Amino acid sequence: LIKTNTLNRMKKSVRIINCARGGIIDETALAKALESGQVAQCAIDVYEDEKNVDKSPLITFGKNAVFLMKGRLPERPISELEHVLKKHGMKIEKRGDKLFCGGKLTYGEYKIPGDVSSQYISALLFALPVLNGESTLEVTGSVQSKDYITLTENALKKAGVKIEKNGFFYKVKGDSEFSFPKSLTVEGDWSAASAFLCMGAVSKGGITVSPLDVLSIQGDKELLEILKKIGATVSINGENVTVKRGKLTPVVVDVSDIPDVVPCLSALLA
């Protein structure tokens, strides 16, 4: 009864509620009308195929989200990521202090610069496996914060998601399922510990932070080597890391791969 031409004759931004029978609405047509904005919202209690509801275009249709652009959030760069997402089916629009996101991400060939934010790459690596087709992701230019990307790759492996990698070119199989073990141990966060470790470098009594894994692949553990170069005293006892004040001297360090420690380190070096 309700199909494409029916929906097109309705007032734009109409709301549709169906709690009668699934077959009276063409779900594919309704999904397209939602995407175009002809239909603003719908509430569906019944589906065309009740035995395979998860395959309904209304279930797989992208969700809408609104981000409040307050605090430091608006200062974060998103233009590169926004361009890629729009190219692959998403709708992103900023209105005042709100960022509206909708549409549905589609599989395909993705390309993103590696010198802006590793979070772009991590986000895409988590999203691409659940799309309904195979995708590729090419990270171009110099790649910063490589260790954060490695953490993402390890998380995918633990979830049973397989990706092929050649340098920073990824081949990602679609229709994958995330299946994490029932029990996971989350190791101590070196980024969160950086403030206390830097405080220890100016403390005579020192500060001990635990638990921290000095063999972790987290890039921010490099802070320990920087503190040693500055002249702080660093001691390690299992997962306990203690930093005390020593004879501090100025140094020049490259922190392009560990940007999260920059605020604390800058305060210390000042």
Side-chain angles (χ1 to χ4, degrees), residues 2 14-15 24 28 56-57 63 77 83 130 136 143 164 177 187 194 197 200 210 215 220 223 230 241 252 263:
I2 300 177
V14 65
R15 271 75 170 171
I24 67 173
T28 300
S56 167
K63 306 294 184 181
H83 173 74
V130 299
T136 59
V143 180
E164 296 179 23
E177 292 186 2
E187 61 184 50
S194 62
L197 296 175
S210 177
L215 299 179
D220 291 337
L223 176 64
I230 293 172
V241 178
V252 176

Side-chain angles (χ1 to χ4, degrees), residues 56-128:
S56 167
L58 296 175
I59 295 295
T60 57
F61 183 76
K63 306 294 184 181
N64 293 322
V66 180
F67 295 90
L68 300 180
M69 305 295 282
K70 296 182 179 181
R72 295 292 300 277
L73 183 62
E75 300 176 21
R76 303 295 296 270
I78 65 167
S79 58
E80 291 85 358
L81 181 61
E82 180 180 347
H83 173 74
V84 171
L85 296 179
K86 285 182 175 179
K87 187 177 178 181
H88 291 84
M90 285 193 65
K91 294 183 178 181
I92 302 174
E93 180 183 359
K94 185 177 180 181
R95 303 177 200 164
D97 63 348
K98 294 182 177 66
L99 185 69
F100 293 82
C101 300
K104 182 181 178 182
L105 202 61
T106 58
Y107 66 91
E109 297 179 356
Y110 287 73
K111 185 180 291 187
I112 194 105
D115 59 352
V116 181
S117 174
S118 64
Q119 293 177 1
Y120 294 169
I121 302 158
S122 292
L124 289 171
L125 286 176
F126 279 125
L128 297 183

Side-chain angles (χ1 to χ4, degrees), residues 20-241:
R21 292 187 179 182
I24 67 173
I25 296 181
D26 182 334
E27 293 179 359
T28 300
L30 180 55
K32 291 181 179 179
L34 283 164
E35 187 172 6
S36 69
Q38 176 64 22
V39 176
Q41 296 174 326
C42 72
I44 303 296
D45 186 49
V46 286
Y47 296 86
E48 290 182 32
D49 186 353
E50 289 289 338
K51 294 182 179 180
N52 296 287
V53 170
D54 60 327
K55 295 182 180 179
S56 167
L58 296 175
I59 295 295
T60 57
F61 183 76
K63 306 294 184 181
N64 293 322
V66 180
F67 295 90
L68 300 180
M69 305 295 282
K70 296 182 179 181
R72 295 292 300 277
L73 183 62
E75 300 176 21
R76 303 295 296 270
I78 65 167
S79 58
E80 291 85 358
L81 181 61
E82 180 180 347
H83 173 74
V84 171
L85 296 179
K86 285 182 175 179
K87 187 177 178 181
H88 291 84
M90 285 193 65
K91 294 183 178 181
I92 302 174
E93 180 183 359
K94 185 177 180 181
R95 303 177 200 164
D97 63 348
K98 294 182 177 66
L99 185 69
F100 293 82
C101 300
K104 182 181 178 182
L105 202 61
T106 58
Y107 66 91
E109 297 179 356
Y110 287 73
K111 185 180 291 187
I112 194 105
D115 59 352
V116 181
S117 174
S118 64
Q119 293 177 1
Y120 294 169
I121 302 158
S122 292
L124 289 171
L125 286 176
F126 279 125
L128 297 183
V130 299
L131 303 183
N132 60 353
E134 186 176 271
S135 298
T136 59
L137 172 60
E138 180 182 357
V139 183
T140 61
S142 61
V143 180
Q144 297 184 357
S145 305
K146 300 182 184 70
D147 293 312
Y148 298 138
I149 302 172
T150 302
L151 287 171
T152 300
E153 295 168 0
N154 283 2
L156 290 171
K157 289 178 182 177
K158 289 181 179 179
V161 176
K162 295 182 180 180
I163 58 174
E164 296 179 23
K165 180 184 178 184
N166 182 10
F168 281 96
F169 181 87
Y170 299 88
K171 190 175 182 181
V172 185
K173 183 181 178 181
D175 295 310
S176 300
E177 292 186 2
F178 284 71
S179 180
F180 283 101
K182 290 183 179 180
S183 177
L184 283 173
T185 299
V186 180
E187 61 184 50
D189 186 354
W190 282 91
S191 299
S194 62
F196 300 101
L197 296 175
C198 287
M199 288 168 59
V202 293
S203 168
K204 290 182 179 180
I207 292 179
T208 299
V209 183
S210 177
L212 290 174
D213 182 3
V214 295
L215 299 179
S216 170
I217 62 173
Q218 294 183 55
D220 291 337
K221 73 177 188 297
E222 178 65 21
L223 176 64
L224 287 187
E225 297 304 315
I226 297 175
L227 293 176
K228 291 178 183 177
K229 289 180 182 179
I230 293 172
T233 300
V234 177
S235 59
I236 300 169
N237 182 15
E239 294 185 329
N240 301 316
V241 178

